[in-house]
Amino acid sequence: MPPFIQFDKIFIQHILQTENITVDVVRFDEMHKIVSGNKWFKLQYYLKDAVNKGFDHIVTFGGAYSNHIVATAFVCRELNLKCTGIIRGEEAKHLSHTLADAKSFGMELFFMSRREYRNKHNIRQKFEGEKVYFIGEGGYGLLGAKGASEMMNWIDESYTHILAATGSGTMMAGLIKAAKPHQQIIGINVMKGNENLINAINLLLTEEEQKKKYTLLNNYHFGGYAKHPVELVQFMNHLWEYYQLPTDFVYNSKTLFATFDLIDKNYFPPGSKIMVIQCGGLQGNNSLPENILAF
Ligand SMILES: *Cc1c(COP(=O)(O)O)cnc(C)c1O
């Protein structure tokens, strides 16, 4: 295991106890500042596979605020691998914090128009003849899900409901793989209108795994990917003030909001023991204006 990942720092934070319900948060944000949350879990088997097969150049895909991009850049530097990021959208005048960091870790950035970016097959062809190992956008794929399934090692069987934000759906697929039959995995879709996500998740699951309990909720996106209306920012500050729980505006704040909203709506039966996954990505808050967050 690479020494830069600190698994011993992951802990369970108790948030709420009522007569009927317990809510805890597992703090995967603590394992590393940049390679936090699910990103190392998803990357590990791809990188092993790449190294085993003799590749020394990783190519992956993502947007300007992608935690996956910056995590891949950092890990590749640590493992002495060359790496290239194919970035969705034209190059902006100023690089986002995320991309500036990725570049400073040695990632080479290639910008593509949204239209070009959609055609991953064409992009892959541009590297024809070069010895490169491709990792899908957001680490999407079976090896990514296999790695993410190990996150369940921190969540014991007594938890009945496990909530986590979904982007590519890779982590959710992994959580489902490792879930016990009585555990329900609830994904909070942070994007608007990508009804295809549940299919992308199912593609990573066997028929048996598809019989397990899981749900994807599509109404907690707050306007869409990375959208953060004032109410959401206020909620993040509230989480900090009441629980000293840091969240990011893209993923974790929306998951926590959903958790409390579902409790209010009596979604969880009495006796439920809920685990919320704090999945890192706090670096994304660097792109918010200064002073709007209390942490
Ligand atoms: C990447 C990420 C997710 C989404 O993970 P997927 O496997 O792409 O669904 C959720 N939360 C945080 C903080 C992330 O960085």
Side-chain angles (χ1 to χ4, degrees):
M1 221 29 101
F4 56 89
I5 301 288
Q6 294 180 287
F7 290 107
D8 56 336
K9 287 206 169 167
I10 300 168
F11 66 98
I12 303 223
Q13 181 177 356
H14 186 57
I15 292 278
L16 184 75
Q17 178 73 61
T18 69
E19 251 173 71
N20 289 329
I21 279 170
T22 308
V23 181
D24 291 333
V25 176
V26 55
R27 296 286 304 274
F28 286 110
D29 55 312
E30 288 283 310
M31 59 198 275
H32 192 270
K33 257 197 148 89
I34 291 152
V35 197
S36 63
N38 64 37
K39 297 301 178 276
W40 168 254
F41 287 98
K42 288 196 291 187
L43 282 170
Q44 56 179 330
Y45 289 110
Y46 291 117
L47 295 170
K48 260 186 209 157
D49 189 41
V51 170
N52 283 343
K53 290 176 176 160
F55 289 90
D56 61 2
H57 183 185
I58 304 292
V59 178
T60 193
F61 306 85
Y65 301 102
S66 165
N67 294 324
H68 166 73
I69 285 286
V70 68
T72 306
F74 184 91
V75 172
C76 284
R77 185 187 69 175
E78 294 300 304
L79 302 180
N80 261 321
L81 297 165
K82 189 177 169 213
C83 89
T84 302
I86 310 292
I87 309 302
R88 180 180 61 234
E90 307 290 354
E91 184 164 7
K93 262 217 180 89
H94 295 286
L95 282 185
S96 66
H97 276 272
T98 308
L99 294 183
D101 283 348
K103 198 171 169 184
S104 77
F105 300 141
M107 181 181 256
E108 192 177 356
L109 303 176
F110 279 124
F111 292 85
M112 302 250 158
S113 70
R114 279 163 199 275
R115 192 168 46 81
E116 280 178 296
Y117 182 88
R118 246 175 260 135
N119 196 336
K120 302 285 186 300
H121 180 71
N122 262 354
I123 298 174
R124 286 178 188 230
Q125 276 188 335
K126 288 189 192 191
F127 288 88
E128 211 171 71
E130 289 179 60
K131 197 158 192 263
V132 300
Y133 188 92
F134 289 102
I135 298 179
E137 183 176 38
Y140 179 80
L142 274 175
L143 287 180
K146 177 185 170 184
S149 73
E150 293 176 5
M151 298 172 81
M152 288 294 279
N153 295 346
W154 277 265
I155 301 171
D156 77 51
E157 292 184 21
S158 65
Y159 290 93
T160 55
H161 298 77
I162 293 127
L163 282 87
T166 56
S168 69
T170 313
M171 168 176 55
M172 182 165 170
L175 299 175
I176 295 165
K177 283 178 186 297
K180 295 284 180 282
H182 67 277
Q183 295 182 306
Q184 187 179 356
I185 308 294
I186 301 174
I188 306 303
N189 187 353
V190 299
M191 282 176 275
K192 185 175 161 180
N194 67 334
E195 269 74 40
N196 201 30
L197 183 58
I198 192 70
N199 302 328
I201 292 167
N202 286 334
L203 273 176
L204 300 178
L205 300 174
T206 64
E207 241 172 76
E208 275 312 298
E209 288 163 349
Q210 289 183 28
K211 289 180 192 149
K212 294 196 186 183
K213 290 204 264 186
Y214 58 96
T215 319
L216 185 63
L217 298 179
N218 294 312
N219 48 351
Y220 290 106
H221 54 68
F222 279 84
Y225 183 73
K227 293 279 189 294
H228 50 285
V230 159
E231 308 85 78
L232 187 68
V233 175
Q234 282 171 350
F235 179 68
M236 291 165 74
N237 284 331
H238 167 88
L239 289 172
W240 177 252
E241 276 156 27
Y242 278 71
Y243 310 107
Q244 280 74 56
L245 176 65
T247 50
D248 71 309
F249 68 90
V250 181
Y251 295 104
N252 296 294
S253 54
K254 293 177 185 180
T255 308
L256 266 301
F257 185 92
T259 307
F260 285 105
D261 191 56
L262 292 169
I263 291 172
D264 279 348
K265 292 177 173 151
N266 294 318
Y267 179 91
F268 303 105
S272 294
K273 207 175 156 193
I274 300 162
M275 180 65 96
V276 181
I277 298 187
Q278 190 341 338
C279 208
L282 294 172
Q283 66 85 25
N285 288 343
N286 289 335
S287 61
L288 288 174
E290 259 177 72
N291 300 327
I292 72 168
L293 290 179
F295 52 98

